């Protein structure tokens, strides 16, 4: 009799690649493809509901006076079906790993402790895979990594391939996973692995996981077509260290890739991850031409302190990052039909790097203020505390020394960024009365509904009205919070 296999998507977030709903990452698709599509796929939310032996009612999942249970939101089946699948499974494969943990509006990824607790009662063979199986995982920035230990797992393994040609069959078969996912998802597309720099940034896990290789436009377009045939229409070229350096920044290859996907008429087509050192006018114009509006080129500036850049072997100087933000603004800030600018820069700041001082935080704030004063649009500033993963230069040389030393400064400093940069920036990009179209209602908090575009780094809009979740709405902006907007339906 054929073995019964169940894949559990516990959600993944890496420097290159996101698989937290509403995104669907590459890892569960590759595992599903590797198993030739002969597996059932559940989410960690399905498992949570099952283990709680909860009688699901709307008021428990989405209480009228409280918050929507985002840890239970991304269920794929009824608890009865989940029970049947788990009790008959011979093998359970948990896909997990957070290496750039963030805050998530509509999902709660699981750490190894929770996964182990939930899977312990099962008699099936248990396998751990995904980023957690390589260099570990951590749900909170600023804390030590949780390393993969056998514990309840019979095997810890990565689904690795020597090259993208060998991997293509799994990608193609993996598209069938969509048939088991009822909710709207943005599909994360892999264009490359590893990092183009010979020795990487001090904190980064990407160079530890694999050598640099790019996936050809033909293979990517073939997979996107297959995903499209399986019902997907929203895609992000997000699983690579830098989309601007795709195939050695060859404009012809990049245009071949973009035009090939655009020809499939995706409703959302975005990018992620741009190394500021590779941003140029020609490629930016190509992205603006082919992407759908609302895309963000998230740039890992990490710091604007030149000494910290040097000590941590960072990919870009403060001047480079500033220049890259200017270049993206030149062609990216035109508004599209959903009310969003076409393509804006995003800035990632990382706290706790080697050499960080109080002056580093001042320099970061000064440079961001300078962007504001130069009338630039910056879509969002992502502030994270580093997780020193074993094997990285940061782990070997400094560990959490600078986190411990400077932690007391972080929250007041971050508050200043939110008040002095983010708030005026939001008012600039989304002035009162501005209209946004096609926002998905995702969660409630009491009488307020939170909506976003399905896309990359979407802005959150809170509407003081209890709207039906899972539906799309249009809204007019009525006010500004530090990192989100308030609005009313139009
Ligand atoms: S440039 Fe730095 S942050 Fe980006 S993938 Fe390479 S090592 Fe990681």
């Amino acid at each position: 009799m054929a073995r019964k296999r169940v894949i559990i998507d516990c959600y993944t977030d890496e420097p290159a690649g996101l698989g937290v709903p509403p995104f669907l990452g590459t890892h569960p698709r590759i595992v599903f493809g590797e198993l030739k599509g002969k597996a059932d796929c559940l989410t960690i939310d399905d498992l949570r509901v099952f283990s709680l032996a909860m009688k699901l009612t709307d008021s428990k999942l989405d209480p009228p006076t409280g918050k929507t249970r985002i840890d239970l939101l991304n269920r794929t089946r009824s608890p009865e079906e989940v029970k049947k699948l788990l009790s008959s499974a011979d093998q359970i494969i948990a896909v997990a790993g957070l290496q750039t943990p963030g805050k998530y509006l509509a999902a709660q990824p699981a750490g190894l402790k929770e996964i182990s607790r939930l899977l312990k009662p099962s008699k099936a063979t248990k396998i751990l895979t995904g980023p957690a199986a390589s260099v570990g995982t951590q749900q909170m920035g600023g804390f030590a990594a949780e390393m993969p230990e056998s514990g309840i797992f019979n095997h810890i393994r990565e689904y690795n391939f020597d090259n993208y040609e060998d991997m293509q069959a799994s990608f193609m078969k993996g598209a069938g996973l969509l048939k088991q996912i009822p909710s709207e998802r943005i599909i994360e597309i892999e264009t490359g692995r590893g990092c183009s720099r010979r020795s990487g940034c001090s904190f980064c896990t990407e160079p530890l996981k694999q050598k640099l290789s790019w996936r050809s436009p033909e293979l990517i377009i073939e997979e996107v077509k297959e995903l499209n045939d399986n019902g997907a229409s929203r895609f992000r070229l997000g699983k690579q260290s830098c989309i601007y350096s795709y195939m050695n920044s060859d404009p012809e290859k990049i245009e071949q890739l973009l035009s090939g996907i655009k020809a499939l008429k995706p409703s959302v087509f975005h990018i992620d991850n741009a190394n500021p050192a590779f941003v140029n006018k020609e490629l930016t114009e190509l992205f603006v031409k082919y992407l759908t509006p609302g895309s963000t080129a998230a740039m890992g500036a990490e710091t604007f302190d030149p000494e910290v850049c040097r000590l941590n072997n960072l990919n870009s100087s403060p001047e480079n990052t500033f220049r890259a933000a200017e270049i993206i603004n030149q062609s990216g800030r035109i508004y599209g039909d959903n009310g969003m600018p076409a393509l804006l820069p995003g800035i990632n700041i990382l706290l706790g790097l080697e050499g960080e001082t109080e002056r580093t935080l001042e320099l970061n704030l000064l440079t961001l203020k300078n962007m504001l004063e130069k009338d630039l649009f910056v879509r969002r500033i992502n502030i994270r505390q580093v997780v020193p993963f074993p094997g990285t230069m940061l782990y070997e040389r400094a560990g959490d020394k600078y986190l411990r030393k400077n932690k007391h400064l972080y929250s007041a400093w971050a508050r200043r960024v939110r008040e002095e940069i983010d708030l005026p920036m939001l008012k600039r990009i989304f002035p009162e009365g501005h209209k946004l179209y096609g926002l998905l209602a995702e969660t409630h908090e009491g009488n307020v509904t939170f909506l976003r575009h399905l896309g990359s780094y979407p802005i959150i809009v809170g509407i003081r009205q209890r709207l039906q979740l899972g539906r799309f709405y249009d809204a007019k902006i009525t006010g500004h919070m530090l990192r989100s907007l308030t609005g009313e339906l139009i």
Side-chain angles (χ1 to χ4, degrees):
M1 225 168 55
R3 283 214 278 181
K4 290 195 173 155
R5 294 176 166 115
V6 174
I7 300 167
I8 315 260
D9 187 1
C10 307
Y11 316 137
T12 59
D13 193 351
E14 304 164 84
L18 179 61
V20 180
F23 283 81
L24 177 65
T26 54
H27 297 285
R29 294 178 356 240
I30 290 168
V31 175
F32 185 75
E34 168 96 332
L35 300 176
K36 312 264 181 295
K38 293 190 173 59
D40 293 291
C41 188
L42 303 175
T43 61
I44 190 70
D45 303 40
D46 288 317
L47 216 62
R48 287 170 180 146
V49 171
F50 171 70
S51 86
L52 287 170
M54 232 176 125
K55 188 158 172 16
L56 288 181
T57 59
D58 285 350
S59 65
K60 274 189 190 145
L61 290 169
D62 194 14
T65 53
K67 290 184 184 176
T68 306
R69 290 281 305 260
I70 61 165
D71 57 333
L72 307 177
L73 193 59
N74 297 284
R75 303 176 314 280
T76 64
R77 301 150 211 255
S78 70
E80 294 73 33
E81 285 173 281
V82 173
K83 184 177 177 186
K84 217 160 115 190
L85 286 177
L86 288 175
S87 53
S88 62
D90 302 305
Q91 191 179 74
I92 294 178
I93 304 151
V95 181
L98 299 177
Q99 289 164 358
T100 44
K103 282 192 184 136
Y104 309 99
L105 178 74
Q108 189 171 302
L112 293 181
K113 282 196 188 77
E114 184 186 15
I115 299 167
S116 300
R117 179 174 55 77
L118 294 178
L119 287 182
K120 200 169 177 190
S122 167
K123 300 236 175 332
T125 305
K126 300 173 194 79
I127 299 172
L128 173 68
T129 189
S134 55
V135 288
T137 181
Q138 174 50 259
Q139 283 170 288
M140 299 265 290
F143 288 86
E146 245 187 303
M147 296 311 289
E149 284 168 13
S150 29
I152 64 142
F153 294 103
N154 304 87
H155 308 282
I156 296 173
R157 62 161 292 198
E158 294 172 68
Y159 287 79
N160 272 340
F161 296 79
D162 288 339
N163 59 61
Y164 278 120
E165 280 72 27
D166 290 353
M167 208 173 166
Q168 185 67 358
S170 294
F171 270 119
M172 294 296 282
K173 208 70 187 159
L177 182 64
L178 279 172
K179 293 257 165 17
Q180 300 193 32
I181 298 175
S183 56
E184 300 278 355
R185 295 293 188 101
I186 307 151
I187 314 299
E188 188 79 312
I189 299 295
E190 179 158 344
T191 72
R193 313 190 135 190
C195 172
S196 53
R197 305 182 69 217
R198 209 166 287 159
S199 89
C201 307
S202 69
F203 61 90
C204 184
T205 54
E206 283 309 304
L208 304 179
K209 290 189 280 191
Q210 51 251 321
K211 285 206 206 87
L212 178 71
S213 63
W214 295 112
R215 193 173 171 212
S216 74
E218 291 83 359
L219 294 180
I220 298 171
I221 294 164
E222 187 185 38
E223 186 205 2
V224 173
K225 185 165 183 333
E226 187 70 12
L227 287 159
N228 197 231
D229 290 346
N230 277 276
S233 73
R234 299 178 176 89
F235 304 98
R236 182 174 84 159
L237 303 179
K239 189 137 177 55
Q240 72 282 314
S241 57
C242 168
I243 192 65
Y244 275 81
S245 42
Y246 176 69
M247 294 217 143
N248 303 318
S249 302
D250 179 343
E252 278 178 26
K253 288 286 179 200
I254 291 179
E255 182 152 27
Q256 184 189 347
L257 173 63
L258 296 173
S259 61
I261 295 177
K262 188 72 175 181
L264 299 168
K265 299 190 171 47
S267 60
V268 174
F269 182 23
H270 286 173
I271 54 167
D272 192 25
N273 295 332
N275 179 341
F278 288 91
V279 170
N280 66 40
K281 187 168 178 287
E282 182 182 12
L283 296 183
T284 302
E285 285 172 357
L286 281 181
F287 290 126
V288 170
K289 178 176 172 189
Y290 289 106
L291 299 176
T292 58
S295 191
T296 303
M299 300 192 290
E302 321 304 358
T303 180
F304 291 104
D305 180 339
E307 182 56 11
V308 176
C309 284
R310 190 187 65 76
L311 277 171
N312 292 275
N313 193 34
L314 298 186
N315 57 15
S316 175
S317 67
E319 297 75 30
N320 257 341
T321 306
F322 202 99
R323 182 77 196 118
E326 287 179 324
I327 291 170
I328 297 170
N329 265 260
Q330 280 161 14
S331 50
R333 57 197 274 175
I334 38 164
Y335 287 86
D337 54 10
N338 61 357
M340 290 297 297
L343 173 68
L344 293 183
I347 303 280
N348 299 340
I349 299 283
L350 198 52
L351 302 175
L353 291 174
E354 185 179 359
E356 180 187 80
T357 61
E358 205 165 344
R359 174 81 185 138
T360 306
L361 301 184
E362 272 170 40
L363 284 172
N364 290 346
L365 193 66
L366 274 174
T367 311
L368 294 170
K369 272 193 178 163
N370 202 4
M371 288 186 179
L372 192 67
E373 278 154 20
K374 286 265 158 61
D375 192 36
L376 295 181
F377 279 12
V378 174
R379 170 54 208 95
R380 97 296 176 257
I381 300 161
N382 194 352
I383 301 169
R384 288 189 299 112
Q385 291 179 39
V386 74
V387 177
F389 279 96
T392 59
M393 187 171 98
L394 181 74
Y395 182 87
E396 306 300 335
R397 290 189 4 180
D400 64 356
K401 176 178 165 188
Y402 291 89
L403 281 170
R404 282 187 282 111
K405 180 169 156 262
N406 298 326
K407 214 168 188 117
H408 66 286
L409 302 169
Y410 293 160
S411 64
W413 176 81
R415 180 88 194 166
R416 287 193 67 191
V417 174
R418 300 302 173 221
E419 286 172 354
E420 295 173 32
I421 318 285
D422 279 329
L423 184 59
M425 192 65 85
L426 285 183
K427 288 182 176 172
R428 175 181 291 170
I429 303 174
F430 307 103
E432 244 178 75
H434 184 79
K435 291 174 182 152
L436 294 173
Y437 301 94
L439 299 162
L440 178 67
E442 291 196 75
T443 60
H444 290 132
E445 190 170 336
N447 198 31
V448 177
T449 307
F450 293 101
L451 307 92
R452 297 184 295 186
H453 282 124
L454 267 174
S456 198
Y457 306 108
I459 183 74
I460 297 171
V461 182
I463 292 186
R464 199 164 282 285
Q465 200 175 333
R466 221 174 145 84
L467 302 170
Q468 188 182 331
L469 301 186
R471 290 189 54 183
F472 292 90
Y473 300 87
D474 302 332
K476 185 171 79 175
I477 304 313
T478 55
H480 303 84
M481 310 297 281
L482 292 181
R483 300 197 75 195
S484 60
L485 307 171
T486 58
E488 61 186 28
L489 290 189
I490 48 175

